[in-house]
Amino acid sequence: MKSIKLLCLMLLIAISTNAQLPVEQVFKNAYQKGTRDVSGKPGKNYWQNTANYKLKINFDPSSRLIKGTVDVQYFNNSTDTLKELWFKLYPNLYKKGVAVKSKINERDLGDGVSITSVLLNNTQKDVASLVIEGTNMHTQISALAPGKSLTLKIEYNYILNKGSHVRTGQVDDGAHFIAYFFPRIAVYDDIDGWNKIPYSGSEEFYNDFCNFDTEITVPKDYAVWATGDLLNGAEVFAPSVFKKYELAQQSDQVIDVIDSAALTQQKVTAQNAFNTFKFEAKNVVDFAFATSNHYLWKSTSLVVDPKTKRRTRVDAVFNPKHKDYYEVIGFARKTVHAMSYEFPKWPFPYSHETIFDGLDQMEYPMMVNDNPVDNRVDAITLTDHEIFHTMFPFYMGSTRPNMVGWMKDGQP
């Protein structure tokens, strides 16, 4: 917060004295090309690349094996002809020998992501042609002209980390928060070209706005929460749970969608050996999911846009042992309400916001991974802080400010 205030003070001084701040040559070049504007707005020639992802994920909680297929259609909206593709392999943060900044115990290191098959435009590509360098991967392709697209199908697997939880991993024997879990095409922009900055555990994320159709298969009794809208709730949840889920979508009251009785009677999901949860998310920069076989689920919703009557569902999904989490649903609801009606006074953009009891303090589109805390004030500030971050930067796609200053006396 101090650094932000200092920067604002420096900008005010510069403006008042008509001082000129230095501008790097790469931005001057963008101004000349018309992709950026000195006002801070996009230039008349601005562009962004995008993609449609279809993810099919099988997750085995007992072995922590994630096995998936990524079908992607990638659109080159740039003015450049692309002759290579760069990818992000974020799970390689836990690969032996990869340089990291986060504290990762040596016992938690493994083999990283295994790419077993790649189809490029329906033609088999030699996996050996993929160059993997830490959390980056790149390969040569036939020229992809401006305005054209290509298709990829990647089959891969890796073991989810159990310890050294950095934004993702096993929470306990029956709960997991899973982020950055699939190979994705890196950003290609008008400033740097391909984003080749490696992920070392501390960097924030820079991704294209994309569409996701995702199928997540887990064993019986495991519920799944994720970025996007659940498409087949009636198929994967027990009838009583699905009925309460639908009620929460339209209720101002807090609904116990999964309560202790449902957990005790093992009547949370459909009683198939495995259930496949299907989600759809449009125009988001990332996709994360969480799963558990013993978490409670409190849910409510509220009108965030009085003009259209659009509602946002708010969830708290947590271990019954963590007493601070019983109030998180109220804190989360008040935060979404305040964002919509007080500051920034803009209807909350997502259809839901799920606060999951995890081992970190990190946000994703429609999802938050928040550890339990020791006191009520910390629970309020943490919940508020991370929900704000789901809008800044994930919805705005911009550098994120610190947004906890409007709270008073420990109350949102």
Side-chain angles (χ1 to χ4, degrees):
M1 177 63 83
K2 289 181 179 179
S3 61
I4 294 174
K5 290 181 177 178
L6 178 60
L7 177 59
C8 292
L9 178 61
M10 292 172 63
L11 289 173
L12 287 172
I13 293 173
I15 293 170
S16 64
T17 60
N18 292 319
Q20 293 292 320
L21 296 175
V23 178
E24 292 188 24
Q25 187 61 46
V26 289
F27 293 103
K28 292 180 180 179
N29 295 341
Y31 299 153
Q32 293 172 358
K33 293 178 181 178
T35 56
R36 307 286 170 122
D37 189 87
V38 292
S39 68
K41 296 180 179 180
K44 62 180 181 178
N45 298 323
Y46 183 70
W47 52 264
Q48 291 183 12
N49 287 353
T50 188
N52 295 325
Y53 283 87
K54 291 186 177 181
L55 309 178
K56 292 186 177 181
I57 307 299
N58 284 273
F59 176 58
D60 181 354
S62 61
S63 65
R64 307 191 315 282
L65 174 66
I66 292 177
K67 187 176 182 180
T69 300
V70 180
D71 276 295
V72 55
Q73 182 180 16
Y74 180 71
F75 298 90
N76 180 18
N77 296 326
S78 79
T79 56
D80 303 324
T81 296
L82 304 181
K83 298 181 180 180
E84 61 179 350
L85 288 179
W86 280 71
F87 300 80
K88 295 300 177 182
L89 298 181
Y90 293 124
N92 274 1
L93 182 72
Y94 293 91
K95 184 178 181 179
K96 296 176 182 178
V98 172
V100 299
K101 294 177 183 175
S102 297
K103 294 181 179 179
I104 297 179
N105 194 301
E106 187 175 351
R107 69 170 180 268
D108 299 325
L109 300 176
D111 296 329
V113 178
S114 172
I115 307 292
T116 57
S117 176
V118 176
L119 287 178
L120 175 59
N121 291 329
N122 295 316
T123 299
Q124 194 74 42
K125 186 174 178 61
D126 186 2
V127 174
S129 68
L130 304 174
V131 180
I132 298 178
E133 300 170 335
T135 55
N136 285 334
M137 179 174 75
H138 59 94
T139 189
Q140 299 295 312
I141 61 171
S142 298
L144 181 63
K148 300 298 182 179
S149 67
L150 58 75
T151 61
L152 282 163
K153 183 175 183 179
I154 302 173
E155 296 179 2
Y156 74 102
N157 63 78
Y158 75 97
I159 301 295
L160 182 72
N161 54 294
K162 182 177 182 178
S164 302
H165 190 109
V166 181
R167 302 173 179 170
T168 182
Q170 179 171 307
V171 179
D172 61 33
D173 285 342
H176 306 78
F177 193 98
I178 303 173
Y180 323 134
F181 60 91
F182 60 97
R184 68 173 302 159
I185 300 176
V187 171
Y188 183 86
D189 67 24
D190 61 315
I191 299 297
D192 299 315
W194 288 108
N195 172 24
K196 301 178 182 179
I197 299 173
Y199 173 50
S200 62
S202 63
E203 292 82 6
E204 296 295 341
F205 292 87
Y206 182 35
N207 297 316
D208 288 320
F209 285 85
C210 299
N211 300 319
F212 293 89
D213 288 322
T214 305
E215 298 182 5
I216 301 166
T217 300
V218 291
K220 180 181 66 175
D221 299 328
Y222 276 84
V224 176
W225 300 264
T227 299
D229 297 320
L230 179 64
L231 302 180
N232 65 333
E235 297 176 12
V236 293
F237 281 121
S240 59
V241 170
F242 181 67
K243 182 179 180 179
K244 289 186 286 185
Y245 163 79
E246 286 195 307
L247 178 62
Q249 301 266 43
Q250 301 297 326
S251 177
D252 292 327
Q253 304 301 313
V254 175
I255 307 298
D256 290 313
V257 178
I258 296 177
D259 56 20
S260 56
L263 292 174
T264 300
Q265 298 169 13
Q266 293 185 324
K267 292 184 178 180
V268 170
T269 70
Q271 294 302 290
N272 306 309
F274 299 91
N275 292 304
T276 298
F277 291 72
K278 299 179 181 180
F279 297 90
E280 179 182 71
K282 300 296 186 182
N283 200 34
V284 295
V285 294
D286 206 354
F287 191 101
F289 73 95
T291 183
S292 177
N293 64 356
H294 65 281
Y295 271 24
L296 299 177
W297 180 6
K298 291 182 177 291
S299 187
T300 181
S301 63
L302 66 152
V303 174
V304 294
D305 187 345
K307 292 182 179 180
T308 64
K309 305 301 181 183
R310 181 174 62 83
R311 301 181 74 91
T312 290
R313 191 187 81 245
V314 182
D315 306 318
V317 180
F318 59 98
N319 191 323
K321 296 179 180 179
H322 296 153
K323 302 306 179 184
D324 64 302
Y325 247 96
Y326 285 83
E327 287 192 277
V328 164
I329 187 65
F331 305 152
R333 180 189 172 89
K334 289 179 180 179
T335 299
V336 171
H337 183 277
M339 292 172 71
S340 301
Y341 293 98
E342 298 176 31
F343 179 78
K345 203 173 182 179
W346 181 34
F348 195 76
Y350 295 126
S351 60
H352 77 87
E353 185 69 9
T354 300
I355 317 302
F356 189 84
D357 180 359
L359 292 175
D360 213 306
Q361 300 179 1
M362 191 62 189
E363 77 286 349
Y364 315 81
M366 309 180 211
M367 297 289 290
V368 170
N369 175 7
D370 273 354
N371 57 273
V373 293
D374 294 332
N375 61 75
R376 192 169 188 265
V377 171
D378 286 349
I380 292 171
T381 56
L382 177 57
T383 302
D384 168 75
H385 182 101
E386 301 305 340
I387 292 177
F388 258 103
H389 281 339
T390 66
M391 184 180 287
F392 303 95
F394 275 116
Y395 188 78
M396 297 297 294
S398 64
T399 303
R400 51 191 210 173
N402 191 320
M403 294 291 185
V404 297
W406 59 275
M407 295 185 307
K408 296 180 180 180
D409 301 323
Q411 295 289 338

